Amino acid sequence: METTQISKQETFMGKEDLLNHWLGHRNLTRRVIEKFPEKELFEFSVEGMRPFSDMVKELLSIASPGLHGIVSRSEEAYNHNLNLNTKAELLAKWDEETPVIIDLYNRIPEKDFPKNHNLFGQYNFPIKDNILYFIDNEIHHRAQGYVYLRALGIEPPFFWER
Amino acid sequence: METTQISKQETFMGKEDLLNHWLGHRNLTRRVIEKFPEKELFEFSVEGMRPFSDMVKELLSIASPGLHGIVSRSEEAYNHNLNLNTKAELLAKWDEETPVIIDLYNRIPEKDFPKNHNLFGQYNFPIKDNILYFIDNEIHHRAQGYVYLRALGIEPPFFWER
């Protein structure tokens, strides 16, 4: 019966919708990166926290490497310590990752979303939850970037613009 | 044909999964509220921003009122200006809303998620996007609360604990 795995539970959203939702968030995060002055992107932080550039490197080291791990069932650890030292380099890497994310995401078959994957060898959860984590974590750190921008007297982009 | 609307696109996640995901986020947000000292919850902010209590009131004035609008197809505007003046009152209201959210969410039939609803008379998007907005907006403002806690020298809860 072709509807086996989806007939257990009603559907909230489709595979393509979720990808578009994520890509919308990535567009917004890109605009937040752009808003930072070069120096403050790498140096400004609220006490005990990282500069926004380090959070962006974390996001870059999670999204496509995480999807790669899911697609290849690899449990290789992440490495947040990317060699990206200017805003232009961060933005170039951000853009470079977009088609990689689309390609890897599309390679995950629907039937795999509820299956467990030990993400980065540490987080053993259903693949759909791994992916929701990528997005939630991006929203979380980007919002911290919003506060940094406000503290610097810079108006952040509207949250609902994607 | 019973699978009409779901056969167009593969499924990312089910209705029940999304609700559980949201409830996990609400648990975490509750713990962030708890971490604030009474005075700072209502008075501390980073320049140009609101205190965290006002963000929590926004979340409370969006979640169950938004779902109520979806279920009843009402376009009534939101009112963020809730009369909640202590941490205990915010937490009590937070808890009171949990079963209301569960009940209202469960009343939305699967076939309605892709349909447009003019949320609060202002945001005319598919119902699934209205609901994702509730969650994304909660993650966004909660993360701002994280920065406030750090600025106050208070360790926030772990992001992955739900």
Side-chain angles (χ1 to χ4, degrees), chain A residues 2-3 6 9-18 21 25 46-49 105 108-110 113 128-129 131-133 136-137 139-144 146-148 150-151 153 159-160 162, chain B residues 3 6 9-18 21 25 46-49 105 108-110 113 127-129 131-133 136-137 139-144 146-148 150-151 153 159-160 162:
Chain A
E2 66 181 342
T3 58
I6 50 178
Q9 202 182 109
E10 290 186 297
T11 296
F12 176 74
M13 73 189 302
K15 178 178 171 180
E16 194 183 323
D17 291 333
L18 190 279
H21 181 69
H25 274 300
V46 167
E47 65 185 81
M49 297 185 66
Y105 178 84
I108 306 169
E110 176 186 35
F113 288 125
K128 69 174 171 45
D129 292 333
I131 294 169
L132 289 174
Y133 181 82
D136 293 351
N137 188 54
I139 300 170
H140 177 76
H141 287 308
R142 184 182 62 212
Q144 298 180 326
Y146 270 65
V147 184
Y148 287 10
R150 289 281 185 195
F159 180 62
W160 55 87
R162 301 289 156 83
Chain B
T3 58
I6 49 177
Q9 201 182 111
E10 289 186 298
T11 296
F12 177 74
M13 73 188 303
K15 178 177 171 180
E16 194 183 322
D17 291 333
L18 191 280
H21 182 68
H25 274 301
V46 166
E47 65 184 80
M49 297 184 67
Y105 179 84
I108 306 169
E110 177 185 33
F113 288 125
I127 286 170
K128 70 175 171 43
D129 292 333
I131 294 169
L132 289 173
Y133 182 82
D136 292 351
N137 188 55
I139 299 169
H140 177 76
H141 286 309
R142 184 182 62 212
Q144 299 180 327
Y146 270 65
V147 184
Y148 287 10
R150 288 282 185 195
F159 180 62
W160 55 88
R162 301 289 155 82

Side-chain angles (χ1 to χ4, degrees), chain B residues 8 15 35-36 39 44 75 95 103 108-109 139 143 158:
Chain B
K8 288 181 209 153
K15 178 177 171 180
K35 284 274 182 183
F36 272 82
K39 181 178 152 68
F44 179 82
E75 300 191 5
D95 293 339
D103 175 58
I108 306 169
I139 299 169
F158 290 119

Side-chain angles (χ1 to χ4, degrees), chain B residues 18-33:
Chain B
L18 191 280
L19 177 63
N20 289 332
H21 182 68
W22 188 7
L23 295 175
H25 274 301
R26 290 189 88 254
N27 282 342
L28 177 58
T29 305
R30 192 189 196 286
R31 287 207 297 282
V32 173
I33 301 168

